[in-house]
Amino acid sequence: MLEHHPDLYHLSDAGWPTLHIKAGCLEIGSVVNAPLDLSFTPSLEDYPFETDLTF
């Protein structure tokens, strides 16, 4: 996602893709300019998913 939407995401200090919010706004040019279909398959295996959502 980072390479396809560099205006929307950046890496957090912990290394996670994070929304890039500047002055309360999101830049969405890469989303608006994207084709209507997904031109790439996101790789999610590098991101662990929490299965225990007990608070």
Side-chain angles (χ1 to χ4, degrees):
M1 294 300 261
L2 292 169
E3 59 270 6
H4 296 285
H5 299 287
D7 57 339
L8 189 58
Y9 297 104
H10 70 279
L11 279 180
S12 69
D13 292 339
W16 292 91
T18 306
L19 281 174
H20 185 74
I21 302 171
K22 186 174 182 180
C25 297
L26 295 171
E27 293 289 333
I28 59 167
S30 65
V31 175
V32 172
N33 294 330
L36 295 176
D37 66 334
L38 190 61
S39 60
F40 66 97
T41 302
S43 175
L44 302 177
E45 56 270 349
D46 293 335
Y47 303 104
F49 292 95
E50 292 293 330
T51 55
D52 180 15
L53 300 177
T54 305
F55 296 95

